[in-house]
Amino acid sequence: MIRNIIFDMGNVLIHWRPEAFTERQGIPEQDRPQLLKEVFGSVEWIQMDRGTISFEEGIAAICRRLPERLHNAARELTLHWWEHHLLPVEGMADLIRELKGMGCGIYLLSNAKTDLPLYFDRIPGSECFDGRIVSADWKLLKPQPEIYQTLFREYGLKPEECFFIDDLNINIEGAWCTGMGGVIFDGDIPRLRQALNAAGVPVSLSRKKQHPNASS
């Protein structure tokens, strides 16, 4: 029986669109591909998610590969992307609150940096979460089995009673390898509700998909 629902963050709870970040930041179009590559596509970005280098170390390494005119933009995108670009996935807050009302445990399992507490309360349904495992805090990354096992251990969860929602197939496969079921989320909330039903979690199937401009 599924008792706990585990959520990834990027492209599950919030939209993760680095291309839109650079556009909204007003960065000249000709500079955007280089910033996307050297900031969000960098090894340092992953190392900061793993918690093995500091923000300052990561930014310094990134800036060494960028022209000076882009240094401020790289720093702003690394440290403050969430202040301007944190957009909830439509319909997710309602689903989380429904699951909580049914008595499910709600947990976060995310590859994210140490600054997540600064914006966690802006994540849809954040008030419903019973716990969270953030990669940088444990120096682990999905899909390493150890990060899933850390979630189970820290919160006393049984893998077979957990269901994981992530947007990447490799992370769902990692969950399966540790005994936890799950589903790949592609942005379709009605389909996700169907998948939860199929797993034995009787959420409503009648919720309409919200308009993209609707509040979560």
Side-chain angles (χ1 to χ4, degrees), residues 9-17 21 24 81-82 84-94 96-97 119-126 185 187 189 210-216:
M9 182 171 62
N11 286 331
V12 173
L13 300 177
I14 62 172
H15 292 289
W16 180 252
R17 297 171 181 164
F21 301 167
R24 294 194 201 102
W81 66 268
W82 55 268
H84 312 291
H85 311 303
L86 196 153
L87 300 175
V89 169
E90 300 80 10
M92 192 59 79
D94 285 344
I96 290 171
R97 290 166 188 150
Y119 58 87
F120 183 74
D121 62 356
R122 294 172 58 185
I123 291 173
S126 60
F185 179 63
I189 292 286
Q210 294 186 1
H211 187 277
N213 294 326
S215 171
S216 288

Side-chain angles (χ1 to χ4, degrees), residues 33 43 48 64 78 111 132 198 204 216:
V43 172
M48 287 184 281
R64 283 195 291 270
T78 301
N111 287 351
R132 61 193 188 219
S204 169
S216 288

Side-chain angles (χ1 to χ4, degrees), residues 4-8 107-109 151 157 162-165 180:
N4 306 290
I5 311 300
I6 320 301
F7 290 87
D8 176 36
Y107 297 89
L108 180 75
L109 178 60
L151 170 75
L157 307 180
C162 297
F163 190 81
F164 186 41
I165 301 166
M180 172 169 60

Side-chain angles (χ1 to χ4, degrees), residues 100-115:
K100 188 68 174 178
M102 294 167 52
C104 292
I106 307 293
Y107 297 89
L108 180 75
L109 178 60
S110 178
N111 287 351
K113 299 171 180 56
T114 55
D115 60 350

